[in-house]
Amino acid sequence: MLAHAAPHLAAEPAARSASPAEVAASLARGAAWIWPDSNGPHRPRTTSAAPAYRDAAVLVESLVLRGVRVERGGRTQPLALPVGVRLMPVVHVESAADAPDDFTPAQRAAVLAAVRRHGQRAAGLLQLDFEAPPRQREAYRALVAAARAALPAGVRLSVTALAHWCTQGDWLDRLSVDEVVPMLYRLGPHAQDWRRRFERGDASLARRCRGPALGFATNDPPSPVLLARAARPYWFDETAWSNPSRPPSHLIP
């Protein structure tokens, strides 16, 4: 997933991964990323009547910028959330290899229309999930600013970020957003080094990447130290929350 490796750090013992109970506790106060063919995690009835998570970051619309066209997709089943769980719509955007460096007016309009449409349903926050390649960075920054302006009053804008973006200058700090969520999974062979940098709040990381929001995966949990830094944790389960017939292993009693 990541194109850049973290600088080598002095050899240290591998940190203990968060336990299933610690993951579940973090999820209970955080957000679950829920992709189109899932309704997300459900806490076993034997443990608690409370929802297994506080916020549902639901991918509600997907747009692929291909050439000068836009291909659209969305949820594949009706959305059913537990009572008390807040909806955070996620608009997912991808750029195909033949997409232009500067988005066409139609592509830009399609993304902003999705932001406006789903912003009406947001419980205070909408998230833009777009792993824009470096050649589109300036277009991405302009798109983010326009998306922020397109949201209804009172709805904030969150964006996801690849971990290596956090080491590429201060461009993330200059985005017109309320929240940047570094995704700290699928980090490759240097995963331990990356996570230590985020644990320590390394000054080489962009300021917005040292904030309270961090993204994790249940199949590769971080250390308890890193987990404790995430006042706003986001969790993704690569199998269960894209396949509702299979419950997440950390929630099986």
Side-chain angles (χ1 to χ4, degrees):
M1 184 181 201
L2 301 182
H4 302 279
H8 179 70
L9 301 177
E12 297 179 20
R16 174 180 74 83
S17 295
S19 68
E22 289 168 324
V23 169
S26 174
L27 178 60
R29 61 181 173 81
W33 271 313
I34 302 173
W35 262 213
D37 55 348
S38 173
N39 269 312
H42 295 278
R43 185 181 295 278
R45 294 180 181 177
T46 56
T47 60
S48 172
Y53 53 105
R54 185 179 63 183
D55 297 318
V58 181
L59 197 160
V60 291
E61 188 164 351
S62 178
L63 302 102
V64 180
L65 312 183
R66 196 179 302 281
V68 297
R69 308 184 310 280
V70 180
E71 298 177 0
R72 294 177 175 83
R75 287 195 56 78
T76 57
Q77 64 171 284
L79 179 64
L81 297 177
V83 174
V85 171
R86 299 177 295 191
L87 174 64
M88 182 190 308
V90 178
V91 175
H92 175 75
V93 184
E94 296 180 32
S95 274
D98 61 351
D101 293 352
D102 195 4
F103 313 127
T104 68
Q107 290 172 337
R108 177 184 170 93
V111 175
L112 295 181
V115 167
R116 291 189 188 96
R117 182 163 52 251
H118 299 294
Q120 299 294 333
R121 302 174 58 202
L125 193 71
L126 179 140
Q127 188 169 83
L128 182 63
D129 177 48
F130 187 3
E131 297 176 16
R135 64 185 178 83
Q136 293 180 329
R137 187 154 293 171
E138 289 306 311
Y140 172 74
R141 287 179 57 198
L143 181 67
V144 165
R148 172 75 174 272
L151 285 171
V155 177
R156 298 176 298 142
L157 180 62
S158 170
V159 295
T160 58
L162 298 176
H164 71 263
W165 287 5
C166 296
T167 62
Q168 296 178 342
D170 65 349
W171 74 278
L172 285 174
D173 293 338
R174 293 183 283 113
L175 290 181
S176 299
V177 296
D178 299 286
E179 176 182 78
V180 173
V181 186
M183 297 180 286
L184 302 184
Y185 53 93
R186 297 179 187 167
L187 295 174
H190 296 279
Q192 184 169 295
D193 290 348
W194 274 114
R195 287 174 171 173
R196 283 177 178 154
R197 297 180 75 174
F198 280 88
E199 280 182 7
R200 297 164 178 167
D202 197 310
S204 67
L205 300 173
R207 176 180 53 82
R208 300 298 293 274
C209 292
R210 290 176 272 153
L214 294 173
F216 307 116
T218 60
N219 66 300
D220 186 20
S223 69
V225 173
L226 182 54
L227 194 58
R229 286 199 63 249
R232 282 186 52 77
Y234 286 77
W235 285 95
F236 182 58
D237 189 288
E238 295 188 351
T239 55
W241 301 344
S242 291
N243 179 0
S245 66
R246 180 180 177 184
S249 58
H250 74 284
L251 292 180
I252 296 175

